[in-house]
Amino acid sequence: MEPLSLDILSEGERALVSAVRIWFRSGTAKAMVPIRLSLAAARIPPEALLPLFALLGVFAADADSGRRLQVERPGAAALGADEQHLLEALGAFQHGEDAAGMDMLDRWLPLVALCMASAAARDLGRVLTEAGVFLPCRSIAYPVAAE
């Protein structure tokens, strides 16, 4: 998979990537203000914090039993492969493609953690949708209608 530049991502996607990177470097307590500012700049409401932190908390709590999520450092210009897969999973949940989203999260999480993470991802997708912030669902091929 060719790394994507952050420049080609939507404002909402960049804000989420920034929030994930900051959270993994600093943790919830130290990262609250910068994450809130990053999300607010992309018109993502504070209601997104709870499902986002719940999702990231599942990854952190389950880091030893699954394959660890690889997150780039804040400020990195390229999107890491795991970050891209996480955005695609969130986009899939937001678009109602729960099976595809779960398949993408399955690369990191065992079943119980996967169920908790998918619930948080669905909630985050709902908050993003209500705020008018839409994540693309790049990896799902939709059938094209015949003309």
Side-chain angles (χ1 to χ4, degrees):
M1 174 184 305
E2 184 71 24
L4 295 177
S5 167
L6 289 181
D7 295 339
I8 70 164
L9 300 180
S10 70
E11 184 179 38
E13 287 176 297
R14 282 192 308 271
L16 286 170
V17 168
S18 176
V20 168
R21 288 176 175 182
I22 292 168
W23 191 91
F24 270 97
R25 294 297 178 244
S26 304
T28 302
K30 292 181 183 178
M32 181 68 77
V33 172
I35 288 174
R36 188 177 295 226
L37 292 172
S38 176
L39 296 180
R43 297 175 316 281
I44 298 173
E47 292 80 22
L49 290 171
L50 183 60
L52 177 62
F53 287 172
L55 175 64
L56 297 177
V58 170
F59 280 111
D62 216 67
D64 294 332
S65 63
R67 186 177 79 74
R68 184 177 214 107
L69 179 69
Q70 298 298 311
V71 176
E72 301 297 325
R73 64 174 172 68
L79 186 66
D82 282 359
E83 294 170 325
Q84 184 173 343
H85 286 294
L86 181 59
L87 280 179
E88 290 183 11
L90 290 172
F93 282 111
Q94 186 181 35
H95 293 280
E97 299 290 340
D98 289 9
M102 288 185 78
D103 283 347
M104 290 178 219
L105 292 180
D106 186 45
R107 72 181 59 234
W108 300 292
L109 301 170
L111 185 59
V112 173
L114 178 62
C115 291
M116 292 186 296
S118 64
R122 276 191 293 278
D123 288 346
L124 181 57
R126 179 190 46 75
V127 171
L128 294 174
T129 298
E130 290 170 359
V133 176
F134 298 97
L135 303 176
C137 201
R138 292 182 180 92
S139 64
I140 298 176
Y142 292 99
V144 178
E147 294 186 29

